[in-house]
Amino acid sequence: MSGVWIKIWTDLWGNKIRTTLAVLSIAAGVFAVGAMFGIADLIRTGMDTSHQASRPAHLLIHLSDYIDRDTALRLKKISGVAEIEVLNEARVRYKIKPEDEWAKAVVVMRDDYERQLFDIYQLRAGAWPQKKHFGIERKSSEFFNIGLGDEILFEVEGRAKKFSINGIIRHPFVPPPEFGGEAYFLADAQGMAHFGEPEGKYIELRVQVAPYSPALAREIAAEVKSRLSKEGIGLVSTFYQDPQKHWGGTIMDSFLMILKVLAVVSLGASVVLVLNTLNAIIAQQTNQIGIIKAIGGTAGVVIKIYLAVVLVYGLLALLLALPLSALVAFNTTKQFLGFFNIDYSVFQVSRQALVYQAIAAMMVPLLAALWPVLRGTAITVREALASYGLGSDFGASWLDRFVEGVAQRFFAAPYAIALGNMFRRKGRLILTQVVLITAGTMAVVVMSLSASVTLTLDNVLARNKYDTIIFFKEDERIDRVVTLAQSLSEVKQAEVRFGHPASILKAGQRAKEAGLGTELVGIPASSAMFQPLLVAGRWLLPHDDRAVVMSKDTGDDNNIKLGDTITLDLNELGQDDWQVVGFYHDIFAGKIDNVDALYANQEAVCRATKKYNRGRNLFVRTYTHQVDDVAAVTARLKDLYNAGNIEVHSSQTAPESRQEIEGQFGVTISMMLVVAIIMAIVGGIGLMGALSIGVVERTREIGVMRTIGARTYTIMNLFVLEGVLQGLMSWLLVVPLSFVLGKPLSNAVGQIMFSIDMDYQYNVKALFIWLAIVLIISVLASMVPARSATRISVRQSLAYQ
């Protein structure tokens, strides 16, 4: 083995603690890159692969009325239509035990489970639905603990009727029950008939077009709408599906982008630690560099030695981080895809993440090490042999004298020495502080983001003055529904909304989305129950006639401006011109929706539809807003209406709605906090490395202290105090930095998550949480180097070179 490799081996093996800390520093950043980029790649790939395997329909159309099979088959004659499949869907109520409360559920019916064309359901256990034997969607089975052979009570004509579960079936997508999604059951035509759904009649269409293109899909949707309208059948909504890309991908992209950015920041912190370590090594080995040059070693040899050390650090870090990040990426992906009802059981590794990890572990540390290495090799032989290392001239600058003066005046001797030791290596101090400050700023900002999300939800939901909504199965008489509601002493106010399917036409042409999927919703004049977040124009005035408030997204997508006149096609009721007087933004709107609701005065909607004193959605405000009280009032209302032969479809209280929303966004915040924790670990490793190197550099000083009677406890305290002071210093800098950066980052995340600037709230509590964390990290990071310092004997210290 040549002298060069002996030197490399000695640096690596002879300084095991330093090598371990350097490897852990790089591994932390490499792990973050591999885990986060792996999650992003595997989630998108898994979603798209599962979506393609289900043979997705290109159009999912919900109709306003039932059609028969012959009507559906006639639509197949439209040029460009490849296949059509019909389905049925009903919203019902169920319970497992007679004493349970009724819960909401969805029952889906396929025309022929053995010959499915699109969006394939998979039988996982048991048999397909048959008559009084129902299937249950597998996620509903797991979450609600309903299995094969169990009996379910469904509400049929106001009474509980017993049915059995004979199959567990996977639906390509159901709303996650973890986030408040309803239970899904499956039935055949005879089973669906129990809920008043006529046999041989269908309310949904699945359509594939050929050759597929988004433009052709929209043309086919418009033609389907046109032909069905001639038979008096309207389209309630239409969803478009790209056959290659899962619709949920756009929802995940913004979240995954945040994770990638945080991973890169973590890698940056690791790079800072590499700089710190190399600076310390070169400062410690300046005389060795001089000796190498004195015996004929070139600058190239010196560079080769230190870059080889860094390369070994990177290789070891890659070996450590690779399996851990792959496991985390796979298990996290498995959990996330489970929310979308996608199986992900075969272990997979992202090739993209592997490439990024290799670059992060090998190339990035080498590039980061170039500066300290080149700076170290530039020193002359005379300077190198005469040098005691960088920072040996502590006390020469004004800053040193200022720190020394402050320490002696305000602190006891141990604290004064610890404070002075902090500033001996200013470059190392700065780099260590950069990592700790970055970790702290990220942690406080993420916790402030969590508080801002909560505040934003509070402010948005505060616009809703209702406590519960009752959804009726059919349009009911408004005066009767309201009178019954107000007969309860707990009800403060009640009002009913009326909605009707509509299509948007503009300047004689269909809008970009063919006007499909919208609903004209009538709001009672001067209603205080609900008003969406306005972003342009104004809200409805009591005297408005043909005026609507439209979703800003719908307006942007269809080039509709404030003040424009649009034509609403109300299907069999004809067309009317309406003026857009305002735009609203719904931060909870699903991204698969084509067009959001149009709001108008209820009197105007009644005149347009020629339907008066009718409505389907009852909004109720109670005197008390406690969760249990609202639930009790909701249950009494449903019993009251069912007793009056007014069939209740479902209900949702304001607390239930909030719980669902918080569950959805809680996952995002949790992942951000995980990355912040990784950053905190990186900061702790960096501090440990800096203090460990300081122990080596101050070996002689420790020996001198020993000779004059310094006890083990005193020496250990010096290093622990230095670590704590570094933690406190970083925290003091985190306070203003997190305050300055918090709001811009909150706005950026708000635009990604909600398409609006969030209502910002700086989390003061987070500052003190981080103070506790950084102090704990500082103490723990100081223990290993402090213990090493106490083990140095007088003989070893005096023999140290």
Side-chain angles (χ1 to χ4, degrees), residues 353-371:
L354 289 178
V355 172
Y356 290 151
Q357 280 184 288
I359 294 172
M362 310 302 296
M363 298 300 297
V364 174
L366 284 175
L367 292 173
L370 278 178
W371 176 68

Side-chain angles (χ1 to χ4, degrees), residues 11-28:
D11 281 345
L12 292 168
W13 189 252
N15 298 276
K16 299 182 187 66
I17 293 178
R18 185 179 66 199
T19 299
T20 301
L21 291 172
V23 170
L24 288 176
S25 300
I26 300 172

Side-chain angles (χ1 to χ4, degrees), residues 431-447:
L431 293 175
T432 304
Q433 286 293 303
V434 165
V435 179
L436 289 173
I437 291 168
T438 302
T441 301
M442 181 182 292
V444 175
V445 166
V446 168
M447 284 187 273

Side-chain angles (χ1 to χ4, degrees), residues 257-317:
M257 180 57 67
I258 295 172
L259 292 186
K260 290 179 181 179
V261 171
L262 295 180
V264 172
V265 172
S266 298
L267 178 62
S270 294
V271 168
V272 170
L273 298 184
V274 172
L275 279 170
N276 204 351
T277 302
L278 262 293
N279 274 326
I281 292 173
I282 290 172
Q284 180 188 343
Q285 298 183 359
T286 301
N287 60 338
Q288 294 183 25
I289 294 174
I291 294 171
I292 293 173
K293 285 191 171 185
I295 61 176
T298 64
V301 171
V302 177
I303 292 172
K304 176 181 177 182
I305 290 172
Y306 290 106
L307 290 187
V309 170
V310 175
L311 187 63
V312 173
Y313 288 161
L315 280 170
L316 293 174

Side-chain angles (χ1 to χ4, degrees), residues 136-148 168:
I136 184 170
E137 207 288 319
R138 62 93 175 263
K139 283 194 70 68
S140 297
S141 172
E142 296 168 1
F143 188 81
F144 297 106
N145 195 28
I146 301 172
L148 288 175
I168 297 177

